[in-house]
Amino acid sequence: MSTDIPISGYGYADAGLNTSHGYLLPALRQELAGLRRPGATTLFDLGCGNGSVAAAMAAEGWSVTGVDPSTDGIAQANRSHPGLRLETGSAYDDLTARYGRHLVVISLEVVEHVYAPRRYARTLFDLTEPGGTAIISTPYHGYWKNLALALSGRMDAHFTALWDHGHIKFWSIRALRLLLEEAGFTDIRFRRVGRIPPLAKSMIAVVRRPER
């Protein structure tokens, strides 16, 4: 499949971090702290958007490569971060043939935009080297949060049906765990970030590709 998929038109106001990174990046940094090994610092950003997270990780010593189907996002990324290899591409492409495998693969706030999540998860697995780690985030959904949204009358605003190129999948911990297990990942654990856990804004899944 070509990279000309529905979210290729997703736009960015600028090349900077957004408000969600205020709670995502501290958790990401904590998870990455124990993963770097001497001579092994490769990190792939699947769905790098405007390159702001990739640039933050590169500034902390990671050797970063990333792709995103948004032509606007990649254009901004290349203007603002010309030293990074950030290119147009999607999880529907054979990214492993193009970029190889990596010690760490991150994919922040991406899976909720993906029409074919199993293909996404397979690409995520393929990009991760044996024994490597993948870190995925997505908006959190659970009973108490969904109930609070219903009682507050904010369901329409939250599920954003009128947002062009916006969220099309809404994940619970159980559903995302099943997707990642099906792809072959193990040692799956979750953490919730932003607000108190029952009303968390996002959840982060940290998973490992088996050595064999």
Side-chain angles (χ1 to χ4, degrees), residues 26-48:
L28 177 62
R29 289 186 174 106
Q30 288 175 6
E31 296 297 337
L32 290 175
L35 296 178
R36 188 187 284 110
R37 301 195 297 262
T41 59
T42 62
L43 183 149
F44 193 91
D45 190 348
L46 180 58
C48 65

Side-chain angles (χ1 to χ4, degrees), residues 55-211:
M57 296 301 98
E60 295 178 11
W62 289 93
S63 177
V64 181
T65 304
V67 299
D68 198 280
S70 170
T71 53
D72 177 64
I74 292 300
Q76 294 204 38
N78 291 161
R79 285 195 299 270
S80 298
H81 314 295
L84 299 181
R85 188 183 180 187
L86 304 176
E87 301 175 347
T88 303
S90 87
Y92 301 151
D93 300 329
D94 185 356
L95 298 178
T96 306
R98 186 172 168 187
Y99 299 103
R101 293 192 170 96
H102 303 266
L103 176 65
V104 177
V105 180
I106 65 171
S107 190
L108 304 185
E109 309 297 279
V110 172
V111 67
E112 66 272 16
H113 296 273
V114 175
Y115 175 78
R118 286 183 173 87
R119 291 184 67 175
Y120 162 88
R122 186 71 231 178
T123 296
L124 190 75
F125 185 87
D126 288 344
L127 282 166
T128 308
E129 68 180 38
T133 301
I135 301 172
I136 307 99
S137 78
T138 190
Y140 169 73
H141 291 89
Y143 175 79
W144 291 111
K145 182 176 180 180
N146 292 345
L147 180 61
L149 287 167
L151 291 173
S152 67
R154 292 187 54 80
M155 279 290 198
D156 277 352
H158 179 76
F159 287 105
T160 60
L162 298 178
W163 178 12
D164 291 344
H165 312 294
H167 299 175
I168 60 172
K169 301 282 185 179
F170 302 92
W171 296 90
S172 66
I173 287 176
R174 178 179 180 275
L176 188 56
R177 181 187 296 276
L178 288 172
L179 176 72
L180 296 169
E181 286 177 342
E182 186 180 293
F185 287 109
T186 59
D187 301 335
I188 299 170
R189 59 184 175 83
F190 286 86
R191 58 188 295 180
R192 286 173 281 182
V193 295
R195 304 196 196 98
I196 62 173
L199 304 177
K201 292 186 176 182
S202 287
M203 58 184 175
I204 296 174
V206 183
V207 302
R208 189 175 68 88
R209 175 171 173 163
E211 293 280 358

